[in-house]
Amino acid sequence: MPRPIEALIHPDAIARNIARARQSSPDAKVWAVVKANAYGHGIERVFEGLRAADGIALLDLAEAERVRALGWRGPILLLEGCFEARDLELCSRLRLWHVVHCEQQIDWLAMHKTHEPHRVFLKLNSGMNRLGFTPQAFRAAWARLDALPQVDEISLMTHFSDADSERLGADGIAAQLAAFQLATRDLPGERSVCNSAATLRHAERASGDWVRAGIMIYGGVPDFPEHDATHWGLAPAMTLRSKIIGQQQLQPGDTVGYGSRFQAERPMRIGVVACGYADGYPRHAPTGTPVLVDGRRTRIVGRVSMDMMTVDLTNLPESGFGSEVTLWGRGPKGALLAIDEVAQSAGTIGYELMCAVAQRVPVSVEAHA
Ligand SMILES: Cc1ncc(COP(=O)(O)O)c(C=O)c1O
């Protein structure tokens, strides 16, 4: 028997969440962002759901090959563009659209021999200061690309640093959006500026021609805890579940796990769950982190160890050995535990937890409705 832990992927949720992005931004096309192997879900596993998108955006050329091998004929966008000149050969062969964010990438294009000119997304650094041309250099980069026979269509993009919060400017995107509008004024071409947070929060002003929906298509909430999945109408695309494989009765003063980090103040019953940090569950999740047992909410107690963690069963008299434990996602009887809640308790974000599910966890895919 394998250990009872498993991840269950819900491609139907991906399709629903893509529809949700469309609802926010009805005039825009939707890129489904599938970098990092579809945020840890597995590109092949979620592919049925991804068919609801207009295009697939990713970073890795090997992932682009996998998407074409699945039969995807629509647009694929390389979000960081090429990493070296010879990547352009694959772009030509697989008809990949690619971001151009620096002069070197234009130099490579200028030397590239291709029969089919490329579609590129010219990226503006509007304030994030990661990738992209500065506003001062943007028009010259556009003119260079426009003069190349290797390029046929130039789209324009930028990426927001604060679309999920209100730290910068009035609404988090105001300064960057203004910089983008100024730098791209009068330039032809499609525009793409919104990630999930901007799609959900700012689409009325910023939607552009393409939104780039990442975390939201997996049911993660970009601006948790200000909003939750119910507020945004998002469904989880991954469930991590396991079982109780042991139980202990504690007396007041008894401690649990490594470092004796939890001490019982009254008689308690605890369950031992087959899930630990070697499965990708965050070790730093403290006592109190929510978990579902048989669909009912309780908390973890004590330190998460490599293969096990302990949960409080004191108020769940019907649960015990063999009970189903939902670490996040869909529980029995319609119960839900948002990955965002677990992430917040562990001091991280849902993005990190979904990407971190370990290789040793068996994954199955729920049949697409
Ligand atoms: C350029 C770009 N666009 C879109 C996304 C999707 O972001 P999110 O998952 O927050 O929707 C990312 C992810 O980091 C990105 O780098």
Side-chain angles (χ1 to χ4, degrees):
M1 271 293 277
R3 290 168 71 236
I5 189 165
E6 73 164 346
L8 186 60
I9 304 299
H10 314 291
D12 62 324
I14 303 262
R16 269 180 59 190
N17 295 333
I18 290 172
R20 178 64 187 80
R22 237 180 249 299
Q23 188 193 337
S24 272
S25 223
D27 298 329
K29 289 166 275 188
V30 178
W31 289 115
V33 180
V34 305
K35 64 195 177 115
N37 199 21
Y39 287 44
H41 292 65
I43 290 174
E44 288 76 7
R45 295 188 197 109
V46 295
F47 186 67
E48 282 309 311
L50 294 177
R51 290 183 193 277
D54 300 293
I56 295 185
L58 39 71
L59 303 185
D60 193 289
L61 278 100
E63 289 185 343
E65 285 187 291
R66 282 163 54 193
V67 171
R68 283 284 181 244
L70 286 164
W72 178 260
R73 289 162 181 246
I76 297 180
L77 177 63
L78 292 180
L79 285 168
E80 294 180 358
C82 294
F83 301 101
E84 55 181 332
R86 65 180 176 159
D87 292 347
L88 288 166
E89 289 158 27
L90 203 64
C91 292
S92 294
R93 184 150 56 78
L94 298 180
R95 290 174 295 105
L96 307 180
W97 301 358
H98 47 103
V99 166
V100 170
H101 62 76
C102 63
E103 295 290 350
Q104 289 84 346
Q105 290 177 329
I106 305 181
D107 296 342
W108 298 337
L109 263 169
M111 292 181 313
H112 179 54
K113 294 187 178 43
T114 180
H115 299 298
E116 297 270 333
H118 288 200
R119 167 125 182 214
V120 297
F121 277 62
L122 181 62
K123 185 161 185 175
L124 175 75
N125 170 14
S126 56
M128 167 85 118
N129 286 315
R130 248 175 18 176
L131 300 179
F133 291 90
T134 60
Q136 298 72 24
F138 192 75
R139 279 175 178 260
W142 189 91
R144 264 193 89 191
L145 285 172
D146 190 45
L148 292 181
Q150 291 89 342
V151 172
D152 70 346
E153 206 175 325
I154 308 172
S155 304
L156 311 168
M157 71 178 280
T158 196
H159 191 49
F160 296 128
S161 56
D162 292 78
D164 57 341
S165 66
E166 322 226 313
R167 281 195 298 278
L168 271 188
D171 58 8
I173 65 165
Q176 282 189 266
L177 185 60
F180 181 76
Q181 283 164 346
L182 188 65
T184 58
R185 202 182 28 164
D186 308 331
L187 290 179
E190 292 193 324
R191 269 89 169 139
S192 176
V193 296
C194 287
N195 57 1
S196 295
T199 302
L200 291 169
R201 293 166 67 102
H202 305 296
E204 274 161 34
R205 285 183 311 128
S207 82
D209 301 289
W210 289 88
V211 296
R212 306 187 302 271
I215 193 70
M216 70 176 292
I217 73 169
Y218 306 100
V221 176
D223 60 353
F224 188 86
E226 185 182 342
H227 297 114
D228 64 13
T230 310
H231 174 88
W232 290 126
L234 299 172
M238 179 196 287
T239 294
L240 183 66
R241 66 185 182 191
S242 186
K243 288 197 168 151
I244 305 270
I245 58 165
Q247 38 188 338
Q248 301 290 342
Q249 195 68 45
L250 304 185
Q251 299 309 321
D254 285 350
T255 61
V256 181
Y258 287 119
S260 300
R261 290 289 276 259
F262 178 80
Q263 185 168 43
E265 287 174 359
R266 53 183 183 281
M268 283 181 75
R269 196 165 59 94
I270 58 162
V272 181
V273 183
C275 175
Y277 61 78
D279 299 301
Y281 195 90
R283 178 177 177 275
H284 38 279
T287 290
T289 300
V291 63
L292 304 180
V293 178
D294 292 326
R296 272 169 304 169
R297 206 176 157 99
T298 181
R299 56 177 182 148
I300 73 171
V301 292
R303 262 198 189 143
V304 174
S305 54
M306 185 184 285
D307 311 303
M308 287 175 273
M309 54 197 273
T310 32
V311 297
D312 188 355
L313 298 181
T314 313
N315 295 325
L316 304 177
E318 257 120 68
S319 299
F321 191 87
S323 285
E324 180 169 332
V325 178
T326 309
L327 287 320
W328 59 70
R330 300 184 190 177
K333 302 176 211 138
L336 285 176
L337 177 59
I339 195 168
D340 312 292
E341 266 194 80
V342 179
Q344 191 195 30
S345 179
T348 182
I349 49 176
Y351 295 73
E352 188 180 10
L353 296 191
M354 15 180 113
C355 291
V357 174
Q359 278 254 285
R360 76 172 186 179
V361 175
V363 186
S364 55
V365 179
E366 203 177 52
H368 195 55

